[in-house]
């Protein structure tokens, strides 16, 4: 890990989308600093830049300007291949829509990141079995996503996100398609992962679920407008 403990640090980060008719500034001089082991929630109205920020932080997109330091690398000018290599070794994603592959079983969906990393067959089986047991979804290992409830699908998605032991979990509205009982369950899982040392960055519309985080960053019109640090996490 980089010596200063920063997992994510942005300096005057900008993202501008240009079409023939119009230029849209989605992120404007965003400065955030997330340390190893933090749980940070990002909030703000629709269209404020939350998903764009998560795409940049998740190395799915490059910023238009500014610096982005991720696990000790300045990555703002990285090529797609460089971003992909860094992403698959360090980041797990959890999405609102689960993003499971319908044609694959629960086991095969969770196994996928390990295939990309070239993990041996026996090691893959062991790690997937352990993850499914931990998420209490092992009894559904041979089912397909469409045979599961929303809460079960999100548990599979979280299992897939953590299977490669990433340094960072990026969660985009992870409770958005769930009822409150299943939403609470997913937040409990994210909290447990964070307590075991994983850095969690979560975009949410829910003030209730944002309260699970150590710190809340509020975005408005592409700017960070306020940050709230929970009293027990103040240094």
């Amino acid at each position: 890990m980089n010596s200063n403990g920063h997992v994510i640090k942005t300096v005057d980060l900008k993202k501008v989308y240009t079409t023939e008719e119009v230029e849209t500034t989605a992120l404007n001089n965003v400065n955030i600093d997330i340390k190893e082991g933090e749980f940070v929630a990002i909030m703000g109205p629709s269209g404020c830049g939350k998903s764009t920020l998560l795409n940049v932080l998740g190395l799915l997109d490059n910023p238009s300007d500014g610096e982005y330091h991720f696990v000790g690398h300045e990555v703002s000018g990285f090529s797609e291949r460089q971003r992909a290599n860094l992403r698959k070794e360090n980041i797990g994603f959890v999405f609102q829509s689960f993003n499971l592959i319908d044609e694959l079983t629960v086991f095969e969906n969770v196994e996928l990141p390990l295939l990309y990393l070239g993990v041996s067959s026996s090691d893959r089986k062991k790690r997937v079995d352990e993850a499914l047991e931990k998420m209490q979804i092992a009894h559904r290992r041979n089912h397909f996503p469409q045979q599961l409830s929303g809460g079960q699908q999100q548990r599979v998605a979280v299992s897939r996100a953590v299977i490669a032991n990433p340094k960072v979990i990026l969660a985009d509205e992870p409770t958005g398609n769930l009822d409150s009982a299943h939403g609470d369950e997913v937040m409990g899982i994210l909290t447990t992962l964070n307590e075991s040392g994983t850095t969690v960055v979560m975009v949410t519309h829910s003030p209730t679920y944002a309260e699970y985080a150590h710190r809340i960053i509020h975005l408005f019109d592409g700017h960070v407008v306020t940050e709230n640090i929970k009293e027990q996490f103040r240094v």
Side-chain angles (χ1 to χ4, degrees):
M1 188 67 216
N2 47 319
S3 59
N4 62 8
H6 303 293
V7 183
I8 286 170
K9 183 179 175 65
T10 70
V11 181
D12 294 339
L13 198 74
K14 288 186 179 179
K15 183 65 183 179
V16 178
Y17 294 103
T18 308
T19 65
E20 287 176 18
E21 296 84 28
V22 69
E23 188 172 276
T24 306
T25 302
L27 299 173
N28 195 1
N29 291 340
V30 171
N31 294 284
I32 59 174
D33 191 340
I34 297 171
K35 292 184 173 60
E36 187 173 9
E38 275 199 282
F39 188 156
V40 175
I42 298 172
M43 297 193 75
S46 293
C48 72
K50 299 188 302 292
S51 292
T52 302
L53 179 59
L54 214 63
N55 282 344
V56 172
L57 297 185
L59 304 172
L60 298 169
D61 202 357
N62 270 344
S64 306
D65 200 3
E67 297 174 21
Y68 176 27
H69 301 264
F70 179 73
V71 296
H73 303 272
E74 207 291 292
V75 299
S76 60
F78 268 29
S79 67
E80 172 52 41
R81 181 185 289 270
Q82 287 173 306
R83 291 203 312 268
N85 288 337
L86 199 57
R87 187 169 63 230
K88 70 185 180 185
E89 291 169 9
N90 292 286
I91 300 174
F93 292 94
V94 182
F95 300 98
Q96 175 177 343
S97 55
F98 317 133
N99 284 20
L100 299 175
I101 298 171
D102 289 342
E103 294 75 25
L104 299 183
T105 64
V106 164
F107 183 95
E108 290 165 340
N109 266 286
V110 176
E111 180 187 36
L112 210 51
L114 299 181
L115 283 169
Y116 290 139
L117 289 169
V119 175
S120 71
S121 174
S122 57
D123 197 18
R124 289 200 309 270
K125 183 179 185 311
K126 178 172 174 287
R127 286 166 70 172
V128 174
D129 284 342
E130 283 173 0
L132 295 178
E133 285 290 344
K134 197 171 170 184
M135 295 292 169
Q136 300 177 333
I137 196 76
H139 60 295
R140 297 285 198 174
R141 69 199 304 279
N142 296 318
H143 287 70
F144 292 92
Q146 298 306 312
Q147 298 173 295
L148 307 179
S149 70
Q152 289 171 330
Q153 288 188 59
Q154 195 60 297
R155 266 192 268 172
V156 176
V158 173
S159 302
R160 181 186 58 190
V162 302
I163 193 71
N165 299 316
K167 287 189 173 71
V168 180
I169 295 285
L170 296 179
D172 192 358
E173 298 282 2
T175 60
N177 283 337
L178 303 177
D179 59 35
S180 59
H182 286 123
D184 291 346
E185 189 180 297
V186 167
M187 292 308 304
I189 292 167
L190 291 176
T191 300
T192 301
L193 289 167
N194 175 248
E195 286 168 350
S196 68
T198 306
T199 305
V200 178
V201 182
M202 174 183 71
V203 162
T204 182
H205 274 106
S206 165
T208 304
Y209 292 139
E211 284 299 315
Y212 282 80
H214 304 163
R215 181 158 57 106
I216 304 169
I217 295 173
H218 295 269
L219 283 187
F220 187 76
D221 282 351
H223 295 274
V224 173
V225 285
T226 56
E227 286 197 40
N228 305 81
I229 302 172
K230 301 278 237 2
E231 196 59 47
Q232 65 266 43
F233 300 109
R234 290 183 189 281
V235 177

